[in-house]
Amino acid sequence: MELCSGSPADSAIIQGAFLQAEKLCIPSSLSSLPKADWSRVGRPILLALQEICGLDEPDSRPNLQALTWKKRIVCVVWLKLLSREAKEDVEKAWRENPFFSLQNSLPEMNHAVLMELVKSTAAAPIFARFLLLLPRDRIAMELGRLTEHVRSEPGGEDDVRFFLEVWWELWKGREELKSETEETIEMMFANQFARLSSDSPHAAKRLKLDSAEMTASSPNTDILHVLFNALKDMTDLVASTNVCFQSLSISLDALYTSFLITQEVVLPVTEKLDVLCKMTNCRGEIETLNAELIRDAQKDLSASLSPSPFQPSTMKLSEALKIITCLVQFWKDKGLLVVSDPLTPCFSTVRLQRSIQRVLTALDEVPETATETNTLRDLLKSLDLPAAENTPDIQAQVTAVIIAHRMQDYQSFAELFAGQASWARSELWVHCLEENQAAFRQHRTLFSLSSTLMSLLHAENSDVSQCRKLMKIAADIFSALSLEDKNQTLAAMLRLSSRGFFKQPVPYAVTEGFQQELNMAFNCIIQGGGGASAAVSQGNLTTAVSLVARVAFQNPEAALKSCCHSAIFNKGAFSLMAKILQQLPGLKAQLGGKNEGEPKDDKVNAASGRSLLCRCLQDTVRSKSMSASEKQQLLKFLGLLMTPDVMTEEEKKKQSFLLPQEVVNTFVLPSLSAVGDDKIDTEFSLQLLHAALSVEAAPSPHWVMNCSPFPLLFVLAQLYNQAYRCWEEPADGAVHLRSMDTKELLVSVLTTLGQLVGAEIEAAPSSWSRALFWLYNKIEALDWTVRFHLRPVWGEHFKNEVPSSLLEVCDLPEEDWSGLDLPEYGQGTGLLAWMECCSLSDSLRSTMLSCLSLDRHRPDHVSMFSKGLLVVLTQTLPWSSVSQWERLLGVLRELITSACLSVPFSLEYVDFLPLLDLRQFSCELRLSVLLLRVLQLLCGSSCSDWLSSDGWAHICRLYAHAMRDMMNCVKAKLPLHSSSLECPKAPDSSKLNPSVKAAERDHNPVKHAEDSPQESEDAQMKEEAAAAPSQEVLFVLSQLFCHIQHIQVMMPGGQSEPLFLCSLEILSHYEAVMAAFPESCSHAESDNTRHFFSTITDNLSNQHMKAVLQQKIAQLVSSAA
């Protein structure tokens, strides 16, 4: 309740003052006080307010307590008048009126007391705010009372000023009223007025009585009509030029905002600043800038440019203009419109000049107002003031005050302030930046500040300490931005310069300071989790992103180079660096996205944005040779950056930091086009291309079509042609691939790229026909197998071309196939070409098998084919990649199972064949024997000098791969292989004979029925184990072990480590089967097996391998009972 009545002591003072004023009215009273008596009667009231509020002069600016008391007293007095009009019930008032205690203690009074109280205490803004809370018709009625009071005797210029102040405050106060959210005195006043209006029909009728009377006596309740006509009636009360100008400017602004605009006129911030400076300067307050003065000037400017809250209902534009021109003519005739000192114009003169200019500009589109317009033009000419320019110091001071006090539109002023290089050398400018950093936290403002700072840094006589201080301030402001604003700022900085503040040479101290900050930032990142640890907490990532963003804001290129260096040369740091950059898409600097008002350096070319990262990577790679592990880090780093990453929480669109096509154009194409240069790492280029092609791409057109796809396909085809025989000495200028894995990578890349390009050709064949024929003609000079890797590119345009000898062993349709006369494929090489086709692709393998010309019902044909296939396989094996070898193994299996390939199985490694059923293992045994024969041929004297040591090592890997494949097939035929082989010790119950267990079940069926499901399942598994072909599996494994040992002994050059490891695996499987199936091998059989295996391994020349194998063989002990 203190908000309503104040402290009891202050309320008592006010009550006493009004009672004393009441006594001074005797024999009359305050309820009938004439205006002329206020100067005598109102003195006690004013003294009381002075005592409470500390007021000295009516024009002084009150403190918060004074303002609150002024609101309270105006509210209470006005509500007392309204209560009397409504004949409010006291019994109800004391319960519902929060002002009742103070209001009821005051004597009765009339409206003259209210008006004089408002005028004497300079409370026109408060009165206007209360007015705005009333209904429109009530406002018109109260303004009518105000007009009558002003015109009543004794009337003077002070009364006109009071009227004009209330008028203008109605225009100014509406924005403040909109922002009221909490319960204030104004809102309480509005609530009480609403209560008095709705308490009862009689009260409402009484409260609206005066309004009805006014309606009867006045043509309308149009507020504009009331105000303009009131001013017209007060014409003779004006006696000074200042009040004339004030009257005309307010009426012109009211006319402009009511008739000539429908939305707020937004001035450029520079023009707004110019107006505020002139207004402040005219009031003579520029030396001691007052924040309230500037805030009031802003309100004046805003009110004169915003649509009026009171739109005219009956008054016309011509009528209002006529009243204004009449006022102009009247005061002009009295000589009141003369500027006394044009060199030092007063505030009202400058304001009137701007008001006339605004109205005249708007009236140019209203031709029917020509007469009035001429009158205003004449008045404007008479106000022809010298164009006084505001000095930069004044502008800087006003702007600094607006920013420091967060006045209206302060962010726009902050952007202007940051971009003014002419202010930047003053202490005021630096101090304002330092003390109000929060006001500059918008990316456009920071961009302006950065541009200004660059101009200071690159000046001839720059202040180094000030520049370092400003750089720190700018970096601190940047660090406080949101991540989105940081990215927008980084993008803008990159458009300005890829080196940021260091676009041009700067003082050494500045460079050194930044370098220290850069090193410290990345040291913190690496030491805080950017090393080998793959897992980085969200907190650490956020910190790392902030650190990198801060240095990137100052020098994007230096920050990106440090990121690249850390990602490549710091073990495990590539993952964190990629995550950091993915959080900073602003460093991509999308080219062509120049923002309005942001200058762009013409010298910054494609090195900006995404290509800047590529350039930094290139510089980093060239500056230091990379090890194999560092190349892999670079490859993983680029792979992560090319991977689309979600950049927003809404996951609207996935974007990658680095486009795959840019990686290909920057790193792959230059390297592959320089094939033959020893410094070029072809394998790394292929890995990069593979990683780029693996990235999810947008729909057609595919990005690869922007990377010279047809020349790229030709270069890849040349590489394949040169590296087709990996183990042969390369010709001069040819590329020597380091491993068969690289060849397989090359084939994968060639095939994938061909599929992508083929899809684009199919979508628009006419667009690519010329390039397609160019590529085909180029490919004709290469090995015939290359064309099959490009089959998706050819589509239906060309036939499949193969050596003519292939057509002799394969029935291929002539409409799709044609023969080539190749000198290296003469008579009897058809089977070789057939085998090579089988290895190229799965679809081609199926075609070759289905079209093979072989009558399997003729033994002589099958025998001849089998002998030829053995020779062909010997020729093909050394140059097959792993995937090609897998296809060939599939071909061999299908030929064996379909009886097209005859492979006799001999008992070379056993004295007798046990009574076993080996039919289901026939394919594995025959395939193993076939491979043994192939390796015997290769290792023989006629072929042993074919290959280098790397070639023999590759053969060992392929053979070991085939043996493991056969082992997996053998194990798959054991029903319990997935569980029992993992647990070598079988349960004791597995020793039970199946017939005994069956008899037990038959003897006690009830007990068997009551067994748990788990026990039933265990029993079933035991039965399956007893019936499993475990002895057959052991026999097959022993044969595989013997075959691989024989080959290991024959293998030249000591390249047998893959075979040694494969032998160990066979022994481990053998031991597991023996443990899982104890009945599969007796003690005597296990002794014979150990002796047999040891005898075979004795032939090994490598003593270490021999010792390890014999140690493993010694563990093969039967667990049978």
Coordinates of all heavy atoms in Angstrom, one line a residue, residues 339-362:
V339 N 13.9 35.0 -36.8 CA 15.0 34.4 -36.1 C 15.9 35.5 -35.6 O 16.4 36.2 -36.5 CB 15.7 33.3 -37.0 CG1 16.9 32.7 -36.2 CG2 14.8 32.3 -37.5
S340 N 16.1 35.5 -34.4 CA 16.9 36.6 -33.8 C 18.4 36.5 -34.1 O 19.1 37.5 -34.5 CB 16.7 36.7 -32.3 OG 17.1 35.5 -31.7
D341 N 18.9 35.3 -34.0 CA 20.3 35.1 -34.3 C 20.5 33.8 -35.1 O 20.6 32.7 -34.5 CB 21.1 34.9 -32.9 CG 22.6 34.9 -33.1 OD1 23.1 35.0 -34.3 OD2 23.3 34.7 -32.1
P342 N 20.6 33.9 -36.4 CA 20.7 32.7 -37.3 C 21.9 31.9 -37.0 O 22.0 30.7 -37.3 CB 20.7 33.3 -38.7 CG 20.1 34.7 -38.6 CD 20.5 35.2 -37.2
L343 N 23.0 32.6 -36.5 CA 24.3 31.8 -36.3 C 24.2 30.9 -35.1 O 24.9 29.9 -35.1 CB 25.4 32.9 -36.1 CG 25.7 33.8 -37.3 CD1 26.8 34.7 -37.0 CD2 26.0 32.9 -38.6
T344 N 23.4 31.2 -34.2 CA 23.2 30.4 -33.0 C 21.7 30.1 -32.8 O 21.1 30.6 -31.9 CB 23.8 31.0 -31.7 OG1 23.2 32.3 -31.5 CG2 25.3 31.2 -31.9
P345 N 21.1 29.3 -33.6 CA 19.7 29.0 -33.6 C 19.3 28.3 -32.3 O 20.1 27.5 -31.8 CB 19.4 28.2 -34.8 CG 20.7 27.5 -35.1 CD 21.8 28.5 -34.7
C346 N 18.1 28.5 -31.8 CA 17.7 27.8 -30.6 C 17.0 26.5 -31.0 O 16.8 26.2 -32.2 CB 16.6 28.7 -29.9 SG 15.2 29.1 -30.8
F347 N 16.7 25.7 -30.0 CA 16.2 24.4 -30.2 C 14.9 24.4 -31.0 O 14.7 23.6 -31.9 CB 15.9 23.7 -28.9 CG 15.2 22.4 -29.0 CD1 15.9 21.2 -29.4 CD2 13.9 22.3 -28.6 CE1 15.2 20.0 -29.5 CE2 13.2 21.1 -28.7 CZ 13.9 19.9 -29.2
S348 N 14.0 25.3 -30.6 CA 12.6 25.4 -31.3 C 12.8 25.8 -32.8 O 12.0 25.3 -33.6 CB 11.7 26.4 -30.6 OG 12.3 27.7 -30.6
T349 N 13.8 26.6 -33.1 CA 14.0 26.9 -34.5 C 14.5 25.7 -35.4 O 13.9 25.5 -36.4 CB 15.1 28.0 -34.6 OG1 14.7 29.1 -33.7 CG2 15.2 28.6 -36.0
V350 N 15.4 25.0 -34.8 CA 15.9 23.8 -35.6 C 14.8 22.8 -35.7 O 14.7 22.2 -36.7 CB 17.2 23.2 -34.8 CG1 17.6 21.9 -35.5 CG2 18.3 24.2 -34.8
R351 N 14.1 22.6 -34.6 CA 13.0 21.6 -34.7 C 11.9 22.0 -35.7 O 11.4 21.2 -36.4 CB 12.4 21.5 -33.3 CG 11.3 20.4 -33.2 CD 10.7 20.3 -31.8 NE 9.6 19.5 -31.8 CZ 8.8 19.2 -30.8 NH1 9.1 19.8 -29.6 NH2 7.7 18.5 -30.8
L352 N 11.6 23.3 -35.7 CA 10.6 23.7 -36.7 C 11.1 23.5 -38.1 O 10.3 23.1 -39.0 CB 10.2 25.2 -36.4 CG 9.2 25.8 -37.4 CD1 7.9 25.1 -37.4 CD2 9.0 27.3 -37.0
Q353 N 12.3 23.8 -38.3 CA 12.9 23.7 -39.7 C 12.7 22.2 -40.1 O 12.3 22.0 -41.3 CB 14.3 24.1 -39.7 CG 15.0 24.1 -41.0 CD 16.5 24.4 -41.0 OE1 17.1 24.0 -40.1 NE2 16.9 25.2 -41.9
R354 N 13.0 21.3 -39.3 CA 12.9 19.9 -39.7 C 11.5 19.5 -39.9 O 11.1 18.7 -40.7 CB 13.6 19.0 -38.6 CG 15.1 19.1 -38.6 CD 15.7 18.0 -37.7 NE 15.3 16.7 -38.2 CZ 15.9 16.0 -39.1 NH1 16.9 16.6 -39.8 NH2 15.5 14.8 -39.5
S355 N 10.6 20.0 -39.0 CA 9.2 19.7 -39.1 C 8.6 20.1 -40.5 O 7.9 19.4 -41.1 CB 8.4 20.3 -38.0 OG 8.8 19.8 -36.7
I356 N 8.9 21.3 -40.9 CA 8.5 21.9 -42.1 C 9.0 21.1 -43.3 O 8.3 20.7 -44.2 CB 8.8 23.4 -42.3 CG1 8.2 24.2 -41.2 CG2 8.5 23.9 -43.7 CD1 8.6 25.7 -41.2
Q357 N 10.3 20.7 -43.2 CA 10.9 19.9 -44.3 C 10.2 18.6 -44.5 O 9.9 18.1 -45.6 CB 12.4 19.7 -44.0 CG 13.2 21.0 -44.2 CD 14.6 20.8 -43.7 OE1 14.9 19.9 -42.9 NE2 15.5 21.8 -44.1
R358 N 9.9 17.9 -43.4 CA 9.2 16.6 -43.4 C 7.8 16.8 -44.1 O 7.4 16.0 -45.0 CB 9.1 16.0 -42.0 CG 10.2 15.3 -41.5 CD 9.9 14.4 -40.3 NE 9.5 15.3 -39.2 CZ 10.3 15.7 -38.2 NH1 11.6 15.4 -38.3 NH2 9.8 16.4 -37.2
V359 N 7.1 17.8 -43.6 CA 5.7 18.0 -44.1 C 5.7 18.3 -45.6 O 5.0 17.8 -46.4 CB 5.0 19.0 -43.3 CG1 3.6 19.4 -44.0 CG2 4.7 18.5 -41.9
L360 N 6.6 19.2 -46.0 CA 6.7 19.6 -47.4 C 7.1 18.5 -48.3 O 6.5 18.3 -49.4 CB 7.7 20.8 -47.6 CG 7.3 22.1 -47.1 CD1 8.5 23.1 -47.2 CD2 6.1 22.6 -47.8
T361 N 8.0 17.6 -47.9 CA 8.4 16.4 -48.7 C 7.2 15.5 -48.9 O 6.9 15.0 -50.0 CB 9.5 15.7 -48.0 OG1 10.6 16.5 -47.8 CG2 9.9 14.5 -48.8
A362 N 6.4 15.3 -47.8 CA 5.2 14.5 -47.9 C 4.1 15.1 -48.7 O 3.3 14.4 -49.4 CB 4.7 14.1 -46.5

